[in-house]
């Protein structure tokens, strides 16, 4: 397969950015141009929920110019993503339609967890240096215009990821509205972020040793991150970062702009970014920072190369999603053994029914997540587990999942306990399309059967074989346990499976001597 020229566009909170890449199996992903235009969409969106006509006109004009640049490079594929500034617009659909009609560019709006996962993938694509780093306690601090995403790693696993509404545009607007003198900025910023940081520390950092902080942002990355060559070039001591931060305070904006090739109007945002990072350094006691210099555009390019089988990383991203979900279950006192048993039974059934359910690898992952989170609502109540579990899943960010995928997991967990709502009922108060609805129904049917096979919570059915034969799904279990209870309570759960697939699950016991 030859070289493909790909354009990645980030419709961000404070600028439009486009990177042109050459993507091939031999040369992998090579950046050949980076075009940026400062336009603060977030300032208007966060304050009013809408964009002015002037901003829409400017946005469309710049995207049209991007189109011309793409023609010059003979771009064969393009992907444009909108983030928090677009997500939080009240009239988002109207603006996106205008952009499509006026520029020919379709902008997909991604959830916060999808955006941060793409950033994360672009970091991981830097190779073994990243995998070596996360064996020790490491925090990714991903600073955006509207919020910060903090992801904690330890022993190579993703422990948790949390979103804080402390983006640099939001903080700047608060500082400006207070009409402060520059000498007071540090003190006020400290007060603005302290509350959320304190909660983060108590719930997620207590007892954890963080040695490294990985910084993803626009301004520090432009000043200190190479983004090219040896990844270790941008691995610095915390003391060196503090010197850099003090240098920002001692020099004029024009001096800083010349030295680091940053627009003068961006220096204030750089200052806020450095202050936030310094706060994390103080909070965690981390001694090193890595500034890989990646942006969302790099993540978009990685996704394109991955989907077209032009590039793949040795890092297991699916494992990160599972690890994070297991930690969520642990937070709500879920049984790890019970969750893993259900996960194994559910995926065994799923794999045996591939030709019947027509679902793919991604839906299999969602089923695994639902199995791990199936009883998280018991942390709140024992009488309304289904609804409580639904609310917990919908309120908890799972990195890498879109809003629709999180809705699927939440509903599968919910209907594992409650009577299933058919399409018209489920669609009241929510917009669930036909494909999503059918996915929820199929995964719910599988999880119900899996739950029915472990009704006693004694993991009697860990060794199970599922075979689809004609109109039956034969579930053969190798166990010496008495499974009278499971057989007696199995029929109601099997009935919904039969309704969805027109296949009857049948339990057969093969006793272990």
């Amino acid at each position: 397969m030859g070289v493909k020229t790909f354009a990645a566009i980030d419709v961000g909170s404070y600028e439009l950015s486009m990177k042109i890449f050459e993507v091939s199996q031999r040369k992998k992903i090579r950046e050949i141009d980076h075009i940026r235009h400062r336009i603060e969409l977030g300032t208007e969106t966060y304050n009013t929920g809408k964009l002015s006509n002037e901003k829409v006109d400017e946005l469309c004009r710049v995207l049209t110019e991007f189109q011309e640049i793409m023609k010059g490079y003979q771009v064969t594929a393009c992907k444009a993503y909108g983030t928090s500034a677009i997500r939080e617009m009240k009239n988002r659909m109207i603006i996106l339609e205008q952009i499509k009609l006026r520029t020919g560019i379709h902008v997909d709006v991604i959830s916060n967890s999808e955006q941060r996962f793409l950033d994360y993938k672009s970091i991981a694509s830097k190779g073994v240096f990243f995998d070596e780093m996360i064996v020790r306690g490491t925090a990714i601090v991903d600073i955006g215009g509207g919020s910060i995403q903090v992801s904690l790693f330890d022993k190579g696993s993703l422990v948790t990821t949390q979103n804080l509404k402390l983006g640099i545009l939001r903080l700047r607007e608060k500082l400006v509205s207070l009409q402060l003198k520059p000498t007071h900025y540090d003190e006020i910023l400290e007060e603005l972020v302290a509350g959320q940081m304190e909660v983060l520390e108590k719930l997620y950092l207590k007892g954890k040793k963080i040695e490294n902080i990985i910084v993803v942002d626009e301004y520090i990355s432009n000043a200190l991150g190479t983004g090219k060559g040896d990844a270790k070039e941008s691995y610095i001591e915390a003391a060196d970062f503090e010197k850099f931060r003090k240098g920002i305070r001692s020099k004029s904006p024009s001096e800083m702009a010349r030295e680091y090739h940053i627009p003068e109007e961006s220096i204030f945002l750089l200052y806020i970014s450095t202050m936030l990072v310094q706060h994390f350094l103080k909070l965690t006691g981390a001694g090193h920072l890595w500034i890989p210099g990646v942006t969302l555009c790099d993540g978009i390019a990685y996704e394109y190369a991955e989907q077209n089988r032009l590039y793949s990383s040795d890092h297991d991203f699916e494992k990160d999603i599972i690890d994070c979900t297991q930690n969520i279950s642990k937070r709500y006192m879920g049984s790890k053994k019970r969750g893993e048993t259900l996960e194994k039974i559910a995926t065994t059934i799923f794999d045996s029914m591939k030709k019947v359910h027509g679902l793919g690898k991604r839906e299999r992952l969602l089923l695994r997540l639902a199995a791990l989170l199936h009883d998280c609502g018991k942390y709140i109540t024992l009488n309304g587990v289904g609804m409580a579990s639904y609310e917990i899943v919908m309120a908890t960010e799972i990195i890498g999942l879109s809003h629709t995928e999180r809705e699927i997991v939440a509903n599968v967990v919910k209907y594992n306990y409650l009577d299933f709502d058919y399409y018209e009922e489920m669609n009241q108060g929510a917009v669930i399309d036909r494909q999503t609805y059918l996915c929820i129904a199929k995964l719910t049917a599988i999880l119900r059967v899996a739950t029915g096979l472990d009704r006693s919570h004694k993991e009697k059915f860990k060794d199970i074989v599922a075979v689809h034969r004609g109109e039956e799904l034969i579930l053969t279990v190798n166990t010496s346990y008495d499974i009278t209870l499971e057989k007696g309570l199995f029929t109601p759960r099997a009935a919904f499976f039969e309704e969805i697939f027109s296949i009857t699950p049948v339990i057969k016991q093969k006793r272990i001597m």
Side-chain angles (χ1 to χ4, degrees):
M1 189 177 289
V3 176
K4 291 184 178 290
T5 310
F6 175 73
I9 299 174
D10 173 14
V11 183
S13 301
Y14 41 79
E15 72 172 22
L16 285 174
S17 176
M18 179 173 72
K19 285 188 177 183
I20 309 292
F21 298 90
E22 284 185 348
V23 185
S24 68
Q25 287 181 330
R26 188 169 65 87
K27 293 185 177 180
K28 307 304 181 185
I29 304 170
R30 186 172 75 89
E31 180 187 325
I32 57 177
D33 203 355
H34 186 189
I35 303 97
R36 307 167 71 177
H37 176 84
R38 184 182 175 84
I39 174 173
E40 291 195 10
L41 305 179
T43 303
E44 288 190 355
T45 298
Y46 304 145
N47 288 331
T48 67
K50 292 183 179 181
L51 279 187
S52 64
N53 290 335
E54 291 77 17
K55 276 287 192 290
V56 175
D57 289 341
E58 184 182 358
L59 174 59
C60 290
R61 176 180 60 78
V62 176
L63 288 175
T64 301
E65 291 173 2
F66 281 3
Q67 279 279 37
E68 293 303 311
I69 294 169
M70 282 189 271
K71 288 177 184 177
Y73 279 106
Q74 297 182 328
V75 167
T76 54
C78 167
K79 194 71 181 176
Y81 282 149
T83 55
S84 63
I86 305 292
R87 262 196 320 268
E88 296 188 24
M89 285 182 192
K90 296 175 183 175
N91 58 343
R92 178 175 67 243
M93 298 305 295
I94 295 169
I95 299 300
L96 292 175
E97 179 67 8
Q98 283 194 43
I99 292 171
K100 174 66 177 174
L101 293 174
R102 293 170 63 176
T103 72
I105 294 175
H106 174 76
V107 178
D108 284 313
V109 182
I110 54 175
S111 68
N112 179 69
S113 59
E114 288 175 296
Q115 175 190 344
R116 309 304 182 160
F117 199 53
L118 285 174
D119 287 340
Y120 167 43
K121 281 188 170 185
S122 66
I123 300 167
S125 70
K126 293 293 180 180
V128 294
F129 186 62
F130 172 74
D131 289 320
E132 290 170 358
M133 185 179 292
I134 62 172
V135 171
R136 305 181 302 280
T138 297
I140 296 179
V141 179
D142 188 348
I143 303 171
S147 65
I148 300 175
Q149 192 77 16
V150 183
S151 303
L152 302 178
F153 291 82
D154 194 28
K155 297 177 183 176
S157 296
L158 179 60
V159 177
T160 189
T161 182
Q162 298 296 322
N163 187 256
L164 312 175
K165 293 288 185 182
L166 295 173
I168 54 176
L169 282 187
R170 292 189 199 271
L171 291 174
R172 188 195 64 180
E173 292 308 304
K174 287 180 180 178
L175 290 174
V176 170
S177 67
L178 293 172
Q179 299 180 333
L180 301 168
K181 292 180 180 179
T183 52
H184 291 159
Y185 287 162
D186 268 11
E187 179 186 345
I188 299 303
L189 277 171
E190 182 84 22
E191 290 183 18
L192 286 172
V193 305
Q196 291 193 50
M197 295 288 194
E198 188 179 330
V199 173
L200 182 73
E201 181 184 21
K202 285 181 179 178
L203 292 180
Y204 305 106
L205 291 176
K206 213 166 188 178
K208 291 184 174 64
K209 185 179 180 181
I210 304 297
E211 295 184 21
N212 304 297
I213 289 180
I214 301 173
V215 178
V216 179
D217 84 325
E218 287 288 344
Y219 300 107
I220 298 174
S221 293
N222 286 334
L224 297 178
T226 62
K228 298 179 178 67
D230 187 355
K232 293 183 181 180
E233 290 178 11
S234 49
Y235 185 66
I236 64 173
E237 300 282 337
D240 292 330
F241 180 79
E242 177 59 12
K243 288 178 186 175
F244 167 71
R245 195 177 80 90
K246 287 179 178 177
I248 293 174
R249 299 176 65 186
S250 63
K251 295 174 184 176
S252 69
S254 58
E255 287 176 317
M256 288 295 299
R258 284 195 302 272
E259 184 173 349
Y260 293 104
H261 309 290
I262 297 172
E264 193 171 325
E265 62 269 23
S266 299
I267 298 301
F268 190 22
L269 295 175
L270 171 62
Y271 168 79
I272 296 173
S273 259
T274 57
M275 189 274 167
L276 287 169
V277 171
Q278 186 60 31
H279 196 101
F280 275 101
L281 285 169
K282 187 168 68 172
L283 188 70
T284 61
H288 299 86
L289 292 99
W290 183 34
I291 308 164
V294 296
T295 67
L296 178 61
C297 288
D298 296 286
I300 298 171
Y302 178 95
E303 179 187 58
Y304 170 78
E306 191 178 39
Q307 289 174 349
N308 288 274
R309 299 181 180 178
L310 297 170
Y311 181 80
S312 63
S313 170
D314 293 331
H315 189 82
D316 189 345
F317 294 107
E318 189 169 292
K319 179 179 179 295
D320 291 324
I321 298 173
I322 295 295
D323 287 345
C324 190
T325 304
Q326 285 177 327
N327 280 296
I328 293 168
S329 175
K330 183 180 178 182
R331 191 189 316 159
Y332 293 103
M333 308 299 288
S335 167
K336 185 178 179 181
K337 278 190 174 181
R338 162 79 166 155
E340 288 177 346
T341 298
L342 273 186
E343 181 189 0
K344 183 180 179 182
I345 296 172
T347 52
T348 298
I349 295 169
F350 182 96
D351 293 343
S352 70
M353 296 275 292
K354 284 180 182 178
K355 292 181 180 179
V356 178
H357 57 56
L359 302 175
K361 183 180 178 182
R362 190 67 178 180
E363 289 78 16
R364 188 180 190 274
L365 173 63
L366 299 181
L367 176 63
R368 294 177 68 189
L369 303 186
L372 293 170
L373 296 171
H374 74 283
D375 63 350
C376 59
K378 288 181 180 177
Y379 184 81
I380 297 172
T381 176
L382 296 177
N383 294 320
V385 179
M387 202 62 220
S389 297
Y390 172 88
E391 295 293 348
I392 285 174
V393 174
M394 289 306 297
T396 305
E397 190 164 76
I398 303 173
I399 194 166
L401 298 195
S402 67
H403 179 81
T404 298
E405 289 174 328
R406 188 163 36 152
E407 188 88 52
I408 290 171
V409 174
N411 275 294
V412 173
V413 169
K414 171 183 172 181
Y415 292 119
N416 188 44
Y417 291 91
L418 300 178
D419 290 340
F420 193 78
D421 289 326
Y422 293 97
Y423 187 64
E424 290 73 16
E425 299 167 303
M426 193 182 293
N427 237 6
Q428 292 179 6
V431 180
I432 294 177
D433 60 30
R434 179 178 175 275
Q435 185 177 352
T436 301
Y437 167 76
L438 291 174
C439 180
I440 292 169
K442 291 173 183 179
L443 296 185
T444 299
I446 293 171
L447 186 61
R448 282 189 179 185
V449 169
T451 306
L453 291 173
D454 193 33
R455 193 68 173 168
S456 65
H457 295 204
K458 291 184 178 178
E459 302 164 44
K460 300 177 185 178
F461 286 43
K462 284 201 293 186
D463 190 5
I464 181 171
V465 176
V467 179
H468 171 222
R469 289 180 188 157
E471 296 181 356
E472 290 186 334
L473 177 67
I474 310 299
L475 300 166
T476 304
V477 293
N478 295 330
T479 181
S480 57
Y481 285 102
D482 182 347
I483 60 170
T484 304
L485 174 65
E486 282 77 12
K487 282 187 172 181
L489 298 176
F490 187 66
T491 303
R493 288 188 164 270
F496 185 66
F497 187 96
E498 188 173 358
E499 179 184 347
I500 297 300
F501 297 115
S502 297
I503 290 172
T504 305
V506 178
I507 301 175
K508 288 192 176 181
Q509 184 176 13
K510 186 177 180 181
R511 289 187 176 273
I512 299 173
M513 300 304 293

